[in-house]
């Protein structure tokens, strides 16, 4: 964001592309891998992945992950525009970068805290309270009157968000038999990618009609819907296998 305001938006794309190329070269030259492909009869096929995706245990998890990913992707793309609306004379790209950077750091610390908490607290309790907390705190930006207030509200909204990341990853691993984790995480990423593609389209279209603030209400509503979904529809055996205290 800072570079966008200082050197221009196009140059930031050049810089980002150069960094990605450099990362690819580092992996190519420095990462050593002892790869032995599975025999054809044991390798995952499209049919086996589809069968796993619609299974009784995996389908509810994929639905949960899709809606969970849809919520932030609806409001996220409109944040720089909302900042520009709050402060038309300010540097919106710098402010957006600062907000996303600091909230990302808060999210990381929250994830570490949730990972440690999962050793003592039941996975379902962490997931439910995290979704509920983020859902309620996501409503705060609706009343933001300045960029500073928005910054504080975003930090507050990310404080319980780490519990969602840590517990949702665990749910994916617990939803399948041993040896199927690779397919399960691949399907989970596909569900997240699909929501990441649909969310900005929906959010941008609705924001052009209703304005920016209602998008945060939609995001909050989806997160609260996820909270109810976790309680009512996710298989109970996933949480009984997670350990921790009730």
């Amino acid at each position: 964001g800072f570079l966008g305001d200082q050197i221009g938006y196009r140059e930031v794309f050049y810089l980002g592309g150069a960094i990605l190329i450099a990362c690819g070269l580092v992996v190519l030259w420095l990462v050593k891998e002892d790869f032995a492909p599975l025999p054809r009869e044991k390798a995952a096929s499209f049919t086996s992945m589809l069968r796993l995706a619609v299974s009784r245990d995996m389908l509810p998890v994929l639905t949960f992950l899709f809606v969970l990913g849809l919520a932030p992707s609806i409001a996220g793309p409109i944040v720089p525009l909302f900042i520009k609306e709050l402060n038309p004379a300010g540097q919106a790209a710098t402010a957006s970068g600062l907000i996303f950077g600091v909230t990302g750091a808060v999210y990381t610390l929250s994830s570490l805290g949730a990972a440690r908490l999962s050793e003592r607290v039941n996975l379902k309790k962490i997931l439910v309270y995290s979704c509920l907390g983020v859902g309620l705190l996501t409503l705060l930006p609706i009343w933001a009157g300045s960029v500073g207030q928005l910054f504080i509200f975003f930090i507050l909204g990310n404080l319980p968000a780490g519990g969602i990341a840590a517990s949702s990853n665990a749910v994916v691993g617990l939803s399948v038999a041993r040896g199927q984790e690779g397919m399960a995480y691949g399907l989970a990423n596909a569900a997240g990618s699909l929501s990441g593609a649909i969310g900005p389209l929906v959010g941008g279209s609705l924001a052009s009609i209703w304005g920016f603030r209602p998008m945060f209400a939609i995001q909050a509503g989806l997160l609260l819907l996820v909270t109810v979904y976790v309680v009512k529809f996710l298989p109970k055996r996933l949480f009984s296998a997670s350990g921790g205290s009730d």
Side-chain angles (χ1 to χ4, degrees):
F2 173 77
L3 291 176
D5 283 328
Q6 299 302 316
I7 64 176
Y9 299 137
R10 295 179 186 271
E11 285 71 14
V12 173
F13 286 101
Y14 297 142
L15 179 61
I19 293 174
L20 290 173
I21 291 173
C23 291
L25 293 175
V26 167
V27 173
L28 180 64
W29 292 336
L30 299 181
V31 175
K32 306 299 180 183
E33 180 182 17
D34 296 325
F35 176 70
L38 291 173
R40 180 177 294 273
E41 61 273 10
K42 294 184 179 181
S45 64
F46 178 79
T47 303
S48 61
M49 292 188 68
L50 184 60
R51 189 181 304 115
L52 178 63
V54 298
S55 64
R56 183 180 62 180
D57 288 334
M58 194 65 192
L59 184 58
V61 173
L62 293 178
T63 304
F64 151 71
L65 292 173
F66 173 76
V67 180
L68 187 64
L70 191 65
S73 65
I74 283 179
I78 59 97
V79 170
L81 300 175
F82 187 42
I83 291 174
K84 192 67 174 177
E85 180 182 274
L86 291 173
N87 185 14
Q91 294 182 317
T94 299
S96 300
L98 182 62
I99 286 178
F100 287 129
V102 174
T103 54
V106 172
Y107 179 83
T108 301
L109 295 175
S110 175
S111 298
L112 294 175
R116 296 194 61 180
L117 188 64
S118 64
E119 299 175 358
R120 303 187 300 274
V121 180
N122 182 268
L123 181 64
K124 183 175 184 178
K125 184 176 290 187
I126 294 175
L127 187 55
V128 168
Y129 282 111
S130 297
C131 290
L132 181 62
V134 176
L136 294 176
L137 291 171
T138 297
L139 290 169
L140 293 177
I142 296 175
W143 296 284
S146 67
V147 175
Q149 289 180 356
L150 186 66
F151 182 77
I152 294 172
F153 293 158
F154 267 64
I155 290 177
L156 292 175
N158 275 269
L159 286 175
I164 298 177
S167 51
S168 59
N169 283 332
V171 164
V172 174
L174 292 169
S175 64
V176 294
R178 185 177 299 275
Q180 292 184 311
E181 294 91 345
M183 285 196 297
Y185 283 109
L187 290 169
N189 286 333
S193 298
L194 182 61
S195 63
I198 294 175
L201 179 62
V202 173
S205 300
L206 294 179
S208 66
I209 301 172
W210 296 338
F212 299 136
R213 296 178 190 269
M215 298 306 101
F216 298 106
I218 294 174
Q219 179 181 358
L222 288 173
L223 287 167
L224 296 176
L225 177 64
V226 167
T227 305
V228 176
Y229 187 88
V230 169
V231 174
K232 295 293 185 181
F233 297 106
L234 281 190
K236 293 182 179 180
R237 76 166 189 84
L238 299 181
F239 304 109
S240 62
S242 65
S245 62
D246 294 331

